[in-house]
Amino acid sequence: MLLRWAFGFSSAFLFAFPALAQNARIESFTYAGSGCPVGSAAGVISPDQRALTVIFDQFEAQAGPGTARAANRAFCQLAVDLRFDPGWQVALFDATYRGFADLEPGVHGLHETSYYFSGSPLTSGPLTWSMIGPFTNDFSRTDTFATTVWSDCGTVRPLNIKTSLYVTNRLAQAGSGVLTNDTTDVQVRIDYALTYRRCI
């Protein structure tokens, strides 16, 4: 079951809007996936509906002796409901993720994200970031797009964001590792930035 969140203001990040797109707004979002079971994520939409913060507390993948293979992968898909004048288009121009990785020598971690609008065959991604142990540190990564995927003109559809984590010790079977979307307070804040243009 998907949950919808609409909470108070957070200054974690803001969306920049041209003056002519003042009616653009974020209405809500839903989430689902092995890395974000029901009740494990929370979202904050600002009062002006132009900012969104998403926080996860169970989004991790791990590998190592005695660890079930199913734990090697985790994913979460967000569907962000947007509302704006159909005379405009919207596109994501960057997204920032923060987390923590603890990988023993030879253990491999992968962070991958794809972005698309419902009903559109166009996708940005998958965009990947990988690391090989030894690595023990917080991380921050920002996705930027070589090709911009714009929403369709004349219609407003949800923006879908699918993030996957993968850890494998295939090349170092005695080693262990964990990769999380997780800040210092055991939460992750994901920053999304949107851009707008008028339909031609």
Short mmCIF file of all heavy atoms in Angstrom, two decimals, residues 46-81:
data_model
loop_
_atom_site.label_atom_id
_atom_site.label_comp_id
_atom_site.label_asym_id
_atom_site.label_seq_id
_atom_site.Cartn_x
_atom_site.Cartn_y
_atom_site.Cartn_z
N SER A 46 6.56 21.87 1.30
CA SER A 46 6.53 23.20 1.89
C SER A 46 5.16 23.85 1.70
O SER A 46 4.39 23.46 0.81
CB SER A 46 7.61 24.09 1.27
OG SER A 46 7.33 24.31 -0.10
N PRO A 47 4.81 24.86 2.52
CA PRO A 47 3.51 25.51 2.40
C PRO A 47 3.24 26.09 1.02
O PRO A 47 2.09 26.11 0.56
CB PRO A 47 3.58 26.62 3.46
CG PRO A 47 4.51 26.09 4.50
CD PRO A 47 5.56 25.34 3.71
N ASP A 48 4.29 26.57 0.33
CA ASP A 48 4.07 27.10 -1.02
C ASP A 48 4.09 26.01 -2.09
O ASP A 48 3.95 26.28 -3.27
CB ASP A 48 5.08 28.20 -1.36
CG ASP A 48 6.51 27.68 -1.42
OD1 ASP A 48 6.74 26.46 -1.27
OD2 ASP A 48 7.43 28.51 -1.62
N GLN A 49 4.26 24.77 -1.65
CA GLN A 49 4.23 23.59 -2.52
C GLN A 49 5.31 23.62 -3.61
O GLN A 49 5.15 23.02 -4.66
CB GLN A 49 2.84 23.42 -3.17
CG GLN A 49 1.74 23.15 -2.15
CD GLN A 49 0.40 22.91 -2.82
OE1 GLN A 49 -0.26 23.87 -3.21
NE2 GLN A 49 0.01 21.67 -2.94
N ARG A 50 6.44 24.24 -3.29
CA ARG A 50 7.53 24.29 -4.25
C ARG A 50 8.78 23.60 -3.74
O ARG A 50 9.83 23.66 -4.39
CB ARG A 50 7.85 25.75 -4.60
CG ARG A 50 6.70 26.42 -5.31
CD ARG A 50 7.06 27.82 -5.71
NE ARG A 50 5.93 28.49 -6.34
CZ ARG A 50 5.97 29.74 -6.76
NH1 ARG A 50 7.07 30.45 -6.60
NH2 ARG A 50 4.92 30.29 -7.32
N ALA A 51 8.71 22.96 -2.60
CA ALA A 51 9.85 22.24 -2.05
C ALA A 51 9.39 20.90 -1.52
O ALA A 51 8.28 20.76 -1.02
CB ALA A 51 10.50 23.05 -0.93
N LEU A 52 10.25 19.90 -1.66
CA LEU A 52 9.94 18.54 -1.20
C LEU A 52 11.17 17.94 -0.56
O LEU A 52 12.27 18.02 -1.12
CB LEU A 52 9.50 17.68 -2.39
CG LEU A 52 9.39 16.16 -2.14
CD1 LEU A 52 8.27 15.86 -1.16
CD2 LEU A 52 9.17 15.44 -3.46
N THR A 53 11.01 17.37 0.60
CA THR A 53 12.06 16.60 1.26
C THR A 53 11.54 15.19 1.49
O THR A 53 10.44 15.02 1.99
CB THR A 53 12.45 17.22 2.62
OG1 THR A 53 12.93 18.53 2.42
CG2 THR A 53 13.52 16.39 3.30
N VAL A 54 12.33 14.20 1.12
CA VAL A 54 11.98 12.80 1.34
C VAL A 54 13.02 12.17 2.25
O VAL A 54 14.22 12.33 2.02
CB VAL A 54 11.90 12.02 0.02
CG1 VAL A 54 11.49 10.58 0.27
CG2 VAL A 54 10.92 12.68 -0.94
N ILE A 55 12.59 11.49 3.29
CA ILE A 55 13.48 10.91 4.28
C ILE A 55 13.19 9.42 4.40
O ILE A 55 12.05 9.02 4.57
CB ILE A 55 13.29 11.59 5.65
CG1 ILE A 55 13.54 13.10 5.55
CG2 ILE A 55 14.20 10.97 6.70
CD1 ILE A 55 13.13 13.87 6.79
N PHE A 56 14.24 8.59 4.29
CA PHE A 56 14.12 7.14 4.43
C PHE A 56 14.89 6.67 5.66
O PHE A 56 15.92 7.24 5.99
CB PHE A 56 14.68 6.43 3.20
CG PHE A 56 14.01 6.81 1.92
CD1 PHE A 56 14.64 7.64 1.02
CD2 PHE A 56 12.75 6.33 1.61
CE1 PHE A 56 14.04 7.99 -0.17
CE2 PHE A 56 12.14 6.67 0.42
CZ PHE A 56 12.78 7.50 -0.47
N ASP A 57 14.44 5.58 6.29
CA ASP A 57 15.20 5.06 7.42
C ASP A 57 15.49 3.56 7.32
O ASP A 57 16.08 3.00 8.24
CB ASP A 57 14.50 5.37 8.75
CG ASP A 57 13.12 4.74 8.88
OD1 ASP A 57 12.78 3.86 8.06
OD2 ASP A 57 12.38 5.13 9.80
N GLN A 58 15.10 2.90 6.21
CA GLN A 58 15.40 1.47 6.06
C GLN A 58 15.97 1.15 4.68
O GLN A 58 15.91 0.00 4.23
CB GLN A 58 14.13 0.64 6.29
CG GLN A 58 13.57 0.73 7.69
CD GLN A 58 12.37 -0.17 7.88
OE1 GLN A 58 12.26 -1.25 7.28
NE2 GLN A 58 11.44 0.25 8.73
N PHE A 59 16.52 2.13 3.99
CA PHE A 59 16.93 1.95 2.61
C PHE A 59 18.41 1.55 2.58
O PHE A 59 19.30 2.40 2.59
CB PHE A 59 16.71 3.25 1.84
CG PHE A 59 16.71 3.10 0.35
CD1 PHE A 59 16.90 1.88 -0.28
CD2 PHE A 59 16.50 4.21 -0.45
CE1 PHE A 59 16.89 1.76 -1.65
CE2 PHE A 59 16.49 4.12 -1.83
CZ PHE A 59 16.69 2.88 -2.43
N GLU A 60 18.69 0.23 2.53
CA GLU A 60 20.06 -0.24 2.51
C GLU A 60 20.17 -1.59 1.81
O GLU A 60 19.21 -2.35 1.72
CB GLU A 60 20.64 -0.34 3.91
CG GLU A 60 20.13 -1.49 4.74
CD GLU A 60 20.89 -1.64 6.06
OE1 GLU A 60 21.26 -0.61 6.65
OE2 GLU A 60 21.11 -2.78 6.48
N ALA A 61 21.37 -1.88 1.30
CA ALA A 61 21.72 -3.17 0.73
C ALA A 61 23.00 -3.63 1.40
O ALA A 61 23.83 -2.81 1.78
CB ALA A 61 21.91 -3.07 -0.78
N GLN A 62 23.15 -4.96 1.53
CA GLN A 62 24.34 -5.47 2.18
C GLN A 62 24.71 -6.85 1.64
O GLN A 62 23.88 -7.55 1.07
CB GLN A 62 24.14 -5.53 3.70
CG GLN A 62 22.96 -6.36 4.15
CD GLN A 62 22.78 -6.30 5.65
OE1 GLN A 62 23.73 -6.55 6.41
NE2 GLN A 62 21.58 -5.98 6.09
N ALA A 63 25.97 -7.20 1.82
CA ALA A 63 26.47 -8.51 1.40
C ALA A 63 27.53 -8.96 2.38
O ALA A 63 28.16 -8.15 3.06
CB ALA A 63 27.06 -8.42 -0.02
N GLY A 64 27.73 -10.28 2.45
CA GLY A 64 28.74 -10.83 3.34
C GLY A 64 28.40 -12.23 3.75
O GLY A 64 27.29 -12.72 3.50
N PRO A 65 29.34 -12.93 4.40
CA PRO A 65 29.07 -14.29 4.88
C PRO A 65 27.84 -14.33 5.78
O PRO A 65 27.70 -13.52 6.70
CB PRO A 65 30.34 -14.63 5.66
CG PRO A 65 31.40 -13.76 5.06
CD PRO A 65 30.71 -12.49 4.69
N GLY A 66 26.92 -15.23 5.48
CA GLY A 66 25.71 -15.36 6.28
C GLY A 66 24.60 -14.40 5.91
O GLY A 66 23.51 -14.47 6.48
N THR A 67 24.84 -13.50 4.98
CA THR A 67 23.82 -12.54 4.56
C THR A 67 23.00 -13.13 3.41
O THR A 67 23.58 -13.65 2.44
CB THR A 67 24.46 -11.22 4.09
OG1 THR A 67 25.21 -10.66 5.16
CG2 THR A 67 23.39 -10.22 3.65
N ALA A 68 21.69 -13.08 3.50
CA ALA A 68 20.83 -13.61 2.45
C ALA A 68 21.07 -12.86 1.15
O ALA A 68 21.28 -11.64 1.15
CB ALA A 68 19.37 -13.51 2.87
N ARG A 69 21.01 -13.57 0.03
CA ARG A 69 21.24 -12.94 -1.26
C ARG A 69 20.22 -11.85 -1.54
O ARG A 69 20.52 -10.85 -2.19
CB ARG A 69 21.21 -13.98 -2.37
CG ARG A 69 21.44 -13.39 -3.76
CD ARG A 69 21.75 -14.45 -4.78
NE ARG A 69 23.02 -15.11 -4.51
CZ ARG A 69 23.58 -16.02 -5.32
NH1 ARG A 69 22.97 -16.37 -6.43
NH2 ARG A 69 24.74 -16.56 -5.00
N ALA A 70 18.99 -12.00 -1.04
CA ALA A 70 17.95 -10.99 -1.26
C ALA A 70 18.33 -9.65 -0.66
O ALA A 70 17.83 -8.60 -1.09
CB ALA A 70 16.62 -11.47 -0.69
N ALA A 71 19.23 -9.67 0.34
CA ALA A 71 19.64 -8.42 0.98
C ALA A 71 20.64 -7.65 0.14
O ALA A 71 20.97 -6.50 0.45
CB ALA A 71 20.23 -8.70 2.36
N ASN A 72 21.15 -8.28 -0.95
CA ASN A 72 22.16 -7.61 -1.78
C ASN A 72 21.59 -6.42 -2.54
O ASN A 72 22.34 -5.55 -2.97
CB ASN A 72 22.75 -8.59 -2.80
CG ASN A 72 23.57 -9.70 -2.18
OD1 ASN A 72 23.99 -10.61 -2.87
ND2 ASN A 72 23.79 -9.67 -0.86
N ARG A 73 20.27 -6.42 -2.76
CA ARG A 73 19.63 -5.37 -3.55
C ARG A 73 18.50 -4.72 -2.77
O ARG A 73 17.82 -5.38 -1.98
CB ARG A 73 19.06 -5.93 -4.86
CG ARG A 73 20.09 -6.46 -5.82
CD ARG A 73 19.42 -7.01 -7.08
NE ARG A 73 20.37 -7.57 -8.02
CZ ARG A 73 21.00 -6.87 -8.96
NH1 ARG A 73 20.75 -5.57 -9.10
NH2 ARG A 73 21.87 -7.45 -9.78
N ALA A 74 18.28 -3.45 -3.02
CA ALA A 74 17.12 -2.74 -2.48
C ALA A 74 16.77 -1.62 -3.45
O ALA A 74 17.65 -1.06 -4.10
CB ALA A 74 17.42 -2.16 -1.10
N PHE A 75 15.48 -1.32 -3.56
CA PHE A 75 15.08 -0.23 -4.45
C PHE A 75 13.90 0.51 -3.84
O PHE A 75 13.17 -0.01 -3.00
CB PHE A 75 14.71 -0.75 -5.85
CG PHE A 75 13.33 -1.35 -5.94
CD1 PHE A 75 12.25 -0.59 -6.34
CD2 PHE A 75 13.13 -2.68 -5.62
CE1 PHE A 75 10.98 -1.14 -6.41
CE2 PHE A 75 11.87 -3.25 -5.68
CZ PHE A 75 10.78 -2.48 -6.10
N CYS A 76 13.72 1.73 -4.31
CA CYS A 76 12.55 2.52 -3.93
C CYS A 76 12.14 3.36 -5.12
O CYS A 76 12.98 3.97 -5.78
CB CYS A 76 12.85 3.42 -2.73
SG CYS A 76 11.37 4.29 -2.12
N GLN A 77 10.85 3.37 -5.40
CA GLN A 77 10.32 4.20 -6.49
C GLN A 77 9.38 5.25 -5.92
O GLN A 77 8.44 4.92 -5.20
CB GLN A 77 9.59 3.36 -7.53
CG GLN A 77 9.03 4.22 -8.67
CD GLN A 77 8.88 3.48 -9.97
OE1 GLN A 77 9.65 2.58 -10.26
NE2 GLN A 77 7.89 3.85 -10.74
N LEU A 78 9.67 6.51 -6.27
CA LEU A 78 8.81 7.63 -5.90
C LEU A 78 8.00 8.04 -7.12
O LEU A 78 8.50 8.04 -8.24
CB LEU A 78 9.64 8.83 -5.45
CG LEU A 78 10.57 8.66 -4.26
CD1 LEU A 78 11.35 9.95 -4.04
CD2 LEU A 78 9.81 8.26 -3.02
N ALA A 79 6.75 8.39 -6.90
CA ALA A 79 5.92 9.01 -7.92
C ALA A 79 5.49 10.37 -7.38
O ALA A 79 4.73 10.44 -6.40
CB ALA A 79 4.70 8.15 -8.25
N VAL A 80 6.03 11.43 -7.95
CA VAL A 80 5.79 12.79 -7.46
C VAL A 80 4.70 13.44 -8.30
O VAL A 80 4.84 13.59 -9.52
CB VAL A 80 7.08 13.64 -7.52
CG1 VAL A 80 6.84 15.03 -6.96
CG2 VAL A 80 8.22 12.94 -6.78
N ASP A 81 3.59 13.80 -7.66
CA ASP A 81 2.47 14.43 -8.35
C ASP A 81 2.71 15.93 -8.45
O ASP A 81 2.83 16.62 -7.42
CB ASP A 81 1.15 14.16 -7.61
CG ASP A 81 0.73 12.71 -7.70
OD1 ASP A 81 1.02 12.09 -8.74
OD2 ASP A 81 0.13 12.20 -6.74
#
